[in-house]
Short mmCIF file of all heavy atoms in Angstrom, two decimals:
data_model
loop_
_atom_site.label_atom_id
_atom_site.label_comp_id
_atom_site.label_asym_id
_atom_site.label_seq_id
_atom_site.Cartn_x
_atom_site.Cartn_y
_atom_site.Cartn_z
N LEU L 136 100.98 117.50 76.52
CA LEU L 136 100.78 117.77 75.09
C LEU L 136 99.52 118.60 74.86
O LEU L 136 99.47 119.43 73.96
CB LEU L 136 100.71 116.45 74.31
CG LEU L 136 101.92 115.51 74.50
CD1 LEU L 136 101.69 114.18 73.78
CD2 LEU L 136 103.21 116.15 74.00
N SER L 137 98.51 118.40 75.71
CA SER L 137 97.26 119.14 75.55
C SER L 137 97.44 120.63 75.83
O SER L 137 96.77 121.46 75.26
CB SER L 137 96.19 118.59 76.49
OG SER L 137 96.03 117.21 76.27
N ARG L 138 98.37 120.94 76.73
CA ARG L 138 98.56 122.35 77.10
C ARG L 138 99.88 122.91 76.60
O ARG L 138 100.22 124.05 76.90
CB ARG L 138 98.54 122.49 78.63
CG ARG L 138 97.24 122.10 79.28
CD ARG L 138 97.17 122.85 80.59
NE ARG L 138 96.35 122.17 81.56
CZ ARG L 138 96.20 122.60 82.80
NH1 ARG L 138 96.85 123.68 83.21
NH2 ARG L 138 95.42 121.97 83.63
N ASN L 139 100.65 122.05 75.91
CA ASN L 139 101.96 122.44 75.42
C ASN L 139 102.86 122.99 76.54
O ASN L 139 103.44 124.06 76.45
CB ASN L 139 101.82 123.47 74.29
CG ASN L 139 103.11 123.57 73.47
OD1 ASN L 139 103.92 122.63 73.48
ND2 ASN L 139 103.32 124.70 72.81
N LEU L 140 102.94 122.20 77.62
CA LEU L 140 103.73 122.59 78.80
C LEU L 140 104.79 121.53 79.08
O LEU L 140 104.54 120.34 78.90
CB LEU L 140 102.82 122.62 80.04
CG LEU L 140 101.97 123.82 80.35
CD1 LEU L 140 101.08 123.49 81.55
CD2 LEU L 140 102.87 125.01 80.67
N SER L 141 105.95 121.98 79.55
CA SER L 141 106.93 121.04 80.09
C SER L 141 106.85 121.11 81.61
O SER L 141 106.85 122.19 82.19
CB SER L 141 108.35 121.43 79.66
OG SER L 141 108.48 121.20 78.28
N ILE L 142 106.78 119.95 82.24
CA ILE L 142 106.62 119.90 83.70
C ILE L 142 107.82 119.14 84.27
O ILE L 142 108.13 118.03 83.83
CB ILE L 142 105.31 119.18 84.08
CG1 ILE L 142 104.12 119.88 83.41
CG2 ILE L 142 105.15 119.11 85.59
CD1 ILE L 142 102.82 119.10 83.49
N ALA L 143 108.48 119.73 85.28
CA ALA L 143 109.66 119.09 85.87
C ALA L 143 109.26 117.87 86.69
O ALA L 143 108.23 117.86 87.37
CB ALA L 143 110.39 120.09 86.76
N ALA L 144 110.08 116.85 86.60
CA ALA L 144 109.87 115.64 87.41
C ALA L 144 111.24 115.10 87.80
O ALA L 144 112.24 115.40 87.14
CB ALA L 144 109.10 114.60 86.62
N ALA L 145 111.27 114.31 88.87
CA ALA L 145 112.55 113.70 89.27
C ALA L 145 112.80 112.51 88.35
O ALA L 145 111.90 111.70 88.13
CB ALA L 145 112.47 113.24 90.72
N PRO L 146 114.03 112.38 87.80
CA PRO L 146 114.32 111.19 87.00
C PRO L 146 114.16 109.94 87.86
O PRO L 146 114.47 109.95 89.05
CB PRO L 146 115.78 111.36 86.59
CG PRO L 146 116.15 112.76 86.93
CD PRO L 146 115.20 113.23 87.99
N LEU L 147 113.64 108.88 87.27
CA LEU L 147 113.48 107.64 88.02
C LEU L 147 114.86 106.99 88.16
O LEU L 147 115.64 106.96 87.21
CB LEU L 147 112.50 106.73 87.26
CG LEU L 147 111.62 105.81 88.08
CD1 LEU L 147 110.87 106.54 89.18
CD2 LEU L 147 110.63 105.11 87.16
N ASP L 148 115.14 106.47 89.35
CA ASP L 148 116.40 105.80 89.62
C ASP L 148 116.60 104.63 88.63
O ASP L 148 115.64 103.92 88.33
CB ASP L 148 116.32 105.26 91.06
CG ASP L 148 117.60 104.59 91.50
OD1 ASP L 148 118.57 105.30 91.76
OD2 ASP L 148 117.62 103.34 91.56
#
Side-chain angles (χ1 to χ4, degrees):
Chain L
L136 304 175
S137 305
R138 297 205 206 177
N139 197 22
L140 277 174
S141 291
I142 303 168
L147 212 51
D148 182 74

